[in-house]
Amino acid sequence: MTNIPEIGQTAPDFSTPDQNDQLVNLADFNEWIVLYFYPKDDTPGCTTEAKDFTDLAAEFTALGAKIIGVSPDSSKSHCKFIAKHNLEITLLSDPEHQLIETYGGWRLKKFMGKEYMGVARSTFLISPDKIIGHSWANVKTKGHAQAVLKKLQELTTK
């Protein structure tokens, strides 16, 4: 049911609106992309993850990478989230979870004994030639942005 792109595969293309309702296409980028999927704006884990990526944004930029977060939230919600936490990353709005499903992030989850479909926190490093360089399928927020930066450093110094 979940078809997660594997390392070495071509990254699935996308055309999805950002927080400003501007379409963002994978094909528009000539740099590394950190594409991360998260469940909901302004929740504790998602806020920590977004702030950690923002705190390391300059280091990602120095390595030629752009950070892009994706959730089912609206562009309006993204704007509030960015403003409230001074985020320096791009957030894509995927309310129908088409992009999330394409990257295998719409999965069965369990909470307090109930099962439901939702966004599984996951991250992909996509190379400038649109190849999956690395992926994390079940992300824990603590230390994740640092781990992504470390892996990007390894991949860009090969």
Side-chain angles (χ1 to χ4, degrees), residues 69-137:
V70 183
S71 83
D73 295 298
S74 68
S75 53
K76 183 178 179 182
S77 173
H78 285 340
C79 284
K80 288 179 182 176
F81 186 40
I82 288 168
K84 181 175 179 180
H85 298 286
N86 298 313
L87 303 178
E88 296 176 15
I89 56 179
T90 298
L91 298 178
L92 302 184
S93 179
D94 188 22
E96 304 297 318
H97 43 81
Q98 291 175 319
L99 175 56
I100 297 165
E101 286 184 38
T102 298
Y103 278 81
W106 190 252
R107 298 188 221 144
L108 188 64
K109 298 174 77 174
K110 289 184 181 183
F111 183 69
M112 294 178 65
K114 294 187 179 191
E115 291 187 339
Y116 64 96
M117 293 301 289
V119 179
R121 200 179 301 279
S122 52
T123 303
F124 296 85
L125 274 175
I126 303 172
S127 71
D129 55 356
K130 314 301 183 267
I131 302 297
I132 303 290
H134 199 79
S135 66
W136 293 261

